[in-house]
PDB file of all heavy atoms in Angstrom:
ATOM      1  N   PHE D 296      21.288 148.994-145.824  1.00 97.00           N
ATOM      2  CA  PHE D 296      20.407 149.171-144.645  1.00 97.00           C
ATOM      3  C   PHE D 296      18.953 149.373-145.049  1.00 97.00           C
ATOM      4  O   PHE D 296      18.071 148.716-144.540  1.00 97.00           O
ATOM      5  CB  PHE D 296      20.896 150.373-143.816  1.00 97.00           C
ATOM      6  CG  PHE D 296      19.991 150.685-142.672  1.00 97.00           C
ATOM      7  CD1 PHE D 296      19.972 149.898-141.547  1.00 97.00           C
ATOM      8  CD2 PHE D 296      19.168 151.784-142.740  1.00 97.00           C
ATOM      9  CE1 PHE D 296      19.126 150.218-140.476  1.00 97.00           C
ATOM     10  CE2 PHE D 296      18.344 152.123-141.692  1.00 97.00           C
ATOM     11  CZ  PHE D 296      18.284 151.323-140.561  1.00 97.00           C
ATOM     12  N   PHE D 297      18.736 150.261-146.010  1.00 96.00           N
ATOM     13  CA  PHE D 297      17.352 150.580-146.397  1.00 96.00           C
ATOM     14  C   PHE D 297      16.688 149.361-147.053  1.00 96.00           C
ATOM     15  O   PHE D 297      15.502 149.071-146.830  1.00 96.00           O
ATOM     16  CB  PHE D 297      17.293 151.785-147.329  1.00 96.00           C
ATOM     17  CG  PHE D 297      17.645 153.068-146.606  1.00 96.00           C
ATOM     18  CD1 PHE D 297      18.521 153.963-147.178  1.00 96.00           C
ATOM     19  CD2 PHE D 297      17.165 153.385-145.356  1.00 96.00           C
ATOM     20  CE1 PHE D 297      18.882 155.133-146.534  1.00 96.00           C
ATOM     21  CE2 PHE D 297      17.510 154.540-144.709  1.00 96.00           C
ATOM     22  CZ  PHE D 297      18.375 155.436-145.320  1.00 96.00           C
ATOM     23  N   ILE D 298      17.412 148.663-147.905  1.00 96.00           N
ATOM     24  CA  ILE D 298      16.832 147.488-148.570  1.00 96.00           C
ATOM     25  C   ILE D 298      16.513 146.403-147.552  1.00 96.00           C
ATOM     26  O   ILE D 298      15.434 145.763-147.628  1.00 96.00           O
ATOM     27  CB  ILE D 298      17.796 146.964-149.682  1.00 96.00           C
ATOM     28  CG1 ILE D 298      17.825 147.954-150.846  1.00 96.00           C
ATOM     29  CG2 ILE D 298      17.343 145.592-150.172  1.00 96.00           C
ATOM     30  CD1 ILE D 298      18.877 147.615-151.904  1.00 96.00           C
ATOM     31  N   LEU D 299      17.387 146.190-146.595  1.00 96.00           N
ATOM     32  CA  LEU D 299      17.126 145.188-145.570  1.00 96.00           C
ATOM     33  C   LEU D 299      15.954 145.583-144.662  1.00 96.00           C
ATOM     34  O   LEU D 299      15.170 144.725-144.239  1.00 96.00           O
ATOM     35  CB  LEU D 299      18.383 144.900-144.744  1.00 96.00           C
ATOM     36  CG  LEU D 299      19.514 144.194-145.479  1.00 96.00           C
ATOM     37  CD1 LEU D 299      20.717 144.044-144.562  1.00 96.00           C
ATOM     38  CD2 LEU D 299      19.080 142.870-146.031  1.00 96.00           C
ATOM     39  N   VAL D 300      15.785 146.871-144.383  1.00 97.00           N
ATOM     40  CA  VAL D 300      14.657 147.322-143.633  1.00 97.00           C
ATOM     41  C   VAL D 300      13.392 147.058-144.402  1.00 97.00           C
ATOM     42  O   VAL D 300      12.371 146.569-143.820  1.00 97.00           O
ATOM     43  CB  VAL D 300      14.780 148.831-143.240  1.00 97.00           C
ATOM     44  CG1 VAL D 300      13.463 149.411-142.769  1.00 97.00           C
ATOM     45  CG2 VAL D 300      15.856 149.011-142.178  1.00 97.00           C
ATOM     46  N   ILE D 301      13.373 147.337-145.667  1.00 96.00           N
ATOM     47  CA  ILE D 301      12.203 147.117-146.513  1.00 96.00           C
ATOM     48  C   ILE D 301      11.864 145.589-146.524  1.00 96.00           C
ATOM     49  O   ILE D 301      10.699 145.231-146.380  1.00 96.00           O
ATOM     50  CB  ILE D 301      12.426 147.661-147.930  1.00 96.00           C
ATOM     51  CG1 ILE D 301      12.428 149.187-147.892  1.00 96.00           C
ATOM     52  CG2 ILE D 301      11.330 147.171-148.891  1.00 96.00           C
ATOM     53  CD1 ILE D 301      12.888 149.824-149.163  1.00 96.00           C
ATOM     54  N   ILE D 302      12.885 144.783-146.672  1.00 95.00           N
ATOM     55  CA  ILE D 302      12.649 143.342-146.689  1.00 95.00           C
ATOM     56  C   ILE D 302      12.078 142.885-145.344  1.00 95.00           C
ATOM     57  O   ILE D 302      11.146 142.073-145.307  1.00 95.00           O
ATOM     58  CB  ILE D 302      13.984 142.588-147.008  1.00 95.00           C
ATOM     59  CG1 ILE D 302      14.354 142.804-148.462  1.00 95.00           C
ATOM     60  CG2 ILE D 302      13.832 141.085-146.719  1.00 95.00           C
ATOM     61  CD1 ILE D 302      15.726 142.295-148.823  1.00 95.00           C
ATOM     62  N   ALA D 303      12.588 143.430-144.247  1.00 96.00           N
ATOM     63  CA  ALA D 303      12.093 143.037-142.925  1.00 96.00           C
ATOM     64  C   ALA D 303      10.646 143.474-142.725  1.00 96.00           C
ATOM     65  O   ALA D 303       9.816 142.686-142.225  1.00 96.00           O
ATOM     66  CB  ALA D 303      12.970 143.640-141.823  1.00 96.00           C
ATOM     67  N   VAL D 304      10.304 144.669-143.139  1.00 97.00           N
ATOM     68  CA  VAL D 304       8.923 145.155-143.006  1.00 97.00           C
ATOM     69  C   VAL D 304       7.978 144.323-143.856  1.00 97.00           C
ATOM     70  O   VAL D 304       6.909 143.907-143.386  1.00 97.00           O
ATOM     71  CB  VAL D 304       8.862 146.661-143.348  1.00 97.00           C
ATOM     72  CG1 VAL D 304       7.411 147.118-143.468  1.00 97.00           C
ATOM     73  CG2 VAL D 304       9.551 147.470-142.298  1.00 97.00           C
ATOM     74  N   VAL D 305       8.355 144.048-145.081  1.00 96.00           N
ATOM     75  CA  VAL D 305       7.542 143.227-145.958  1.00 96.00           C
ATOM     76  C   VAL D 305       7.373 141.800-145.389  1.00 96.00           C
ATOM     77  O   VAL D 305       6.267 141.240-145.394  1.00 96.00           O
ATOM     78  CB  VAL D 305       8.135 143.182-147.409  1.00 96.00           C
ATOM     79  CG1 VAL D 305       7.454 142.143-148.258  1.00 96.00           C
ATOM     80  CG2 VAL D 305       8.015 144.557-148.044  1.00 96.00           C
ATOM     81  N   ALA D 306       8.437 141.228-144.855  1.00 94.00           N
ATOM     82  CA  ALA D 306       8.332 139.906-144.271  1.00 94.00           C
ATOM     83  C   ALA D 306       7.402 139.877-143.070  1.00 94.00           C
ATOM     84  O   ALA D 306       6.592 138.942-142.904  1.00 94.00           O
ATOM     85  CB  ALA D 306       9.743 139.406-143.890  1.00 94.00           C
ATOM     86  N   MET D 307       7.470 140.898-142.218  1.00 96.00           N
ATOM     87  CA  MET D 307       6.597 140.960-141.052  1.00 96.00           C
ATOM     88  C   MET D 307       5.139 141.166-141.511  1.00 96.00           C
ATOM     89  O   MET D 307       4.228 140.546-140.957  1.00 96.00           O
ATOM     90  CB  MET D 307       7.016 142.073-140.112  1.00 96.00           C
ATOM     91  CG  MET D 307       8.295 141.747-139.340  1.00 96.00           C
ATOM     92  SD  MET D 307       8.678 142.920-138.040  1.00 96.00           S
ATOM     93  CE  MET D 307       8.953 144.417-138.967  1.00 96.00           C
ATOM     94  N   ALA D 308       4.946 142.021-142.455  1.00 95.00           N
ATOM     95  CA  ALA D 308       3.584 142.253-142.964  1.00 95.00           C
ATOM     96  C   ALA D 308       3.045 141.011-143.627  1.00 95.00           C
ATOM     97  O   ALA D 308       1.861 140.629-143.413  1.00 95.00           O
ATOM     98  CB  ALA D 308       3.556 143.441-143.959  1.00 95.00           C
ATOM     99  N   TRP D 309       3.858 140.337-144.407  1.00 94.00           N
ATOM    100  CA  TRP D 309       3.425 139.095-145.055  1.00 94.00           C
ATOM    101  C   TRP D 309       3.065 138.031-144.017  1.00 94.00           C
ATOM    102  O   TRP D 309       2.051 137.380-144.148  1.00 94.00           O
ATOM    103  CB  TRP D 309       4.541 138.583-145.962  1.00 94.00           C
ATOM    104  CG  TRP D 309       4.184 137.297-146.658  1.00 94.00           C
ATOM    105  CD1 TRP D 309       4.567 136.043-146.303  1.00 94.00           C
ATOM    106  CD2 TRP D 309       3.367 137.156-147.803  1.00 94.00           C
ATOM    107  NE1 TRP D 309       4.052 135.111-147.163  1.00 94.00           N
ATOM    108  CE2 TRP D 309       3.271 135.781-148.083  1.00 94.00           C
ATOM    109  CE3 TRP D 309       2.661 138.037-148.602  1.00 94.00           C
ATOM    110  CZ2 TRP D 309       2.546 135.263-149.144  1.00 94.00           C
ATOM    111  CZ3 TRP D 309       1.947 137.529-149.670  1.00 94.00           C
ATOM    112  CH2 TRP D 309       1.879 136.162-149.925  1.00 94.00           C
ATOM    113  N   GLY D 310       3.854 137.904-142.993  1.00 91.00           N
ATOM    114  CA  GLY D 310       3.556 136.942-141.937  1.00 91.00           C
ATOM    115  C   GLY D 310       2.274 137.302-141.226  1.00 91.00           C
ATOM    116  O   GLY D 310       1.476 136.403-140.890  1.00 91.00           O
ATOM    117  N   GLY D 311       2.072 138.551-140.935  1.00 91.00           N
ATOM    118  CA  GLY D 311       0.811 139.000-140.278  1.00 91.00           C
ATOM    119  C   GLY D 311      -0.408 138.751-141.150  1.00 91.00           C
ATOM    120  O   GLY D 311      -1.440 138.285-140.641  1.00 91.00           O
ATOM    121  N   ILE D 312      -0.296 139.056-142.415  1.00 92.00           N
ATOM    122  CA  ILE D 312      -1.414 138.875-143.325  1.00 92.00           C
ATOM    123  C   ILE D 312      -1.711 137.378-143.478  1.00 92.00           C
ATOM    124  O   ILE D 312      -2.870 136.951-143.451  1.00 92.00           O
ATOM    125  CB  ILE D 312      -1.117 139.515-144.695  1.00 92.00           C
ATOM    126  CG1 ILE D 312      -1.129 141.004-144.567  1.00 92.00           C
ATOM    127  CG2 ILE D 312      -2.130 139.075-145.737  1.00 92.00           C
ATOM    128  CD1 ILE D 312      -0.607 141.755-145.778  1.00 92.00           C
TER     129      ILE D 312
END
Side-chain angles (χ1 to χ4, degrees):
F296 174 75
F297 292 134
I298 290 172
L299 291 178
V300 165
I301 290 169
I302 290 171
V304 169
V305 168
M307 288 189 297
W309 178 261
I312 291 170

